[in-house]
Amino acid sequence: MSIDVDAAADHLRSQWDRLDRWLRGLGGELGRAVDRPSVLDGWSIGELVSHLGRVMEALARCGPVAPGTVPLSFAEYLGTYPDRAEEIAEATRTLDAEIAPDRLGGVEDRAAQAFARLDALAGERVVQARRGPITLQDMVVSRVVELVVHADDLSRSFPEIHDDPVDPRALDAVAAELLHVVVVRGGWSLEVHDPMLWVRLATGRERYDVDQLAKALTPVHTSEAVPDLGRMLPLL
């Protein structure tokens, strides 16, 4: 990973605060839209908001591990997502039904628990997460990835709202981390040119296209080209 746990925690807090303010700023519009489909196929806007609580709850439930526990790599942890897609969706629907009377309040409570747990885990290198052991640093980065991606999902679900809930610094960090996964696997020398486009391609929000990829990434060396990553993407 290219950022340490403290930097990742700063990005997590900044992205959460910005997204929370944005959601609160929707006022009654959010309540009227909860049953409307979001841009995330098969998910309503209400379910997508409630999923933010599950995202933060995953950090709140982390705990210490036995000495010598070998953690999953960041890429391995992301790789557990596809096989659990239906499980994640069903758990989100259950949570949504539970907190529907005060959806934002329920999500905010879980975020507060997550940040309290993060403070309590200070000094731990490896923690036990839902999907296995992972370094605390990678766990926090994974939460930043989730918040940035879902902030963009929500923004696109409200095209009439022009304020952006995505924190620019958090977006840059997420784009860099997702590129790091690709570079480690393939050994290419690449850099991010369009962070949002790259994040959408890397997470399956944008249909893969080599021309779009060439807009999102650029080779470090001008004599090289952006490789075809069609078999590697989406990463999650």
Side-chain angles (χ1 to χ4, degrees):
M1 295 290 98
S2 62
I3 57 175
D4 62 24
V5 66
D6 291 334
D10 286 344
H11 288 311
L12 185 65
R13 292 180 190 277
S14 295
Q15 178 56 76
W16 168 252
D17 288 346
R18 182 170 179 139
L19 178 54
D20 187 40
R21 287 194 304 271
W22 186 86
L23 287 167
R24 285 291 176 187
L26 292 176
E29 179 61 27
L30 179 58
R32 292 187 290 272
V34 292
D35 294 324
R36 198 172 76 197
S38 74
V39 295
L40 195 57
D41 190 35
W43 290 51
S44 70
I45 287 175
E47 289 166 347
L48 185 52
V49 171
S50 293
H51 182 66
L52 301 174
R54 184 169 163 79
V55 166
M56 300 304 283
E57 191 175 59
L59 176 56
R61 292 188 176 183
C62 285
V65 297
T69 299
V70 178
L72 297 170
S73 69
F74 183 65
E76 288 170 337
Y77 188 78
L78 293 185
T80 67
Y81 283 41
D83 290 341
R84 296 193 174 190
E86 186 51 44
E87 175 189 333
I88 292 168
E90 185 57 37
T92 294
R93 294 186 193 106
T94 299
L95 176 61
D96 185 60
E98 176 188 336
I99 66 174
D102 183 11
R103 193 173 273 103
L104 286 185
V107 171
E108 288 167 345
D109 284 347
R110 284 160 175 79
Q113 293 168 18
F115 287 119
R117 173 62 70 176
L118 180 56
D119 290 339
L121 290 170
E124 298 286 347
R125 193 184 79 82
V126 181
V127 296
Q128 182 65 40
R130 280 179 177 144
R131 298 181 179 88
I134 186 174
T135 66
L136 180 59
Q137 175 181 338
D138 285 349
M139 183 60 192
V140 177
V141 169
S142 75
R143 300 307 88 192
V144 183
V145 170
E146 291 250 19
L147 286 189
V148 165
V149 170
H150 292 314
D152 183 48
D153 289 336
L154 283 162
S155 179
R156 291 184 295 119
S157 298
F158 286 91
E160 69 277 15
I161 306 297
H162 300 298
D163 291 337
D164 190 353
V166 177
D167 180 80
R169 291 178 62 251
L171 171 61
D172 287 344
V174 166
E177 296 302 332
L178 294 177
L179 180 60
H180 182 72
V181 173
V182 168
V183 168
V184 167
R185 289 178 179 175
W188 302 287
S189 296
L190 300 168
E191 56 190 8
V192 178
H193 178 69
D194 185 328
M196 182 55 78
L197 178 57
W198 165 236
V199 168
R200 289 174 180 173
L201 286 165
T203 60
R205 268 57 181 179
E206 182 87 16
R207 184 176 180 180
Y208 181 78
D209 178 86
V210 291
D211 292 332
Q212 289 293 86
L213 185 67
K215 295 176 182 177
L217 302 177
T218 56
V220 172
H221 307 293
T222 55
S223 59
E224 298 176 354
V226 175
D228 184 350
L229 302 180
R231 293 186 177 182
M232 189 178 292
L233 300 182
L235 297 175
L236 69 153

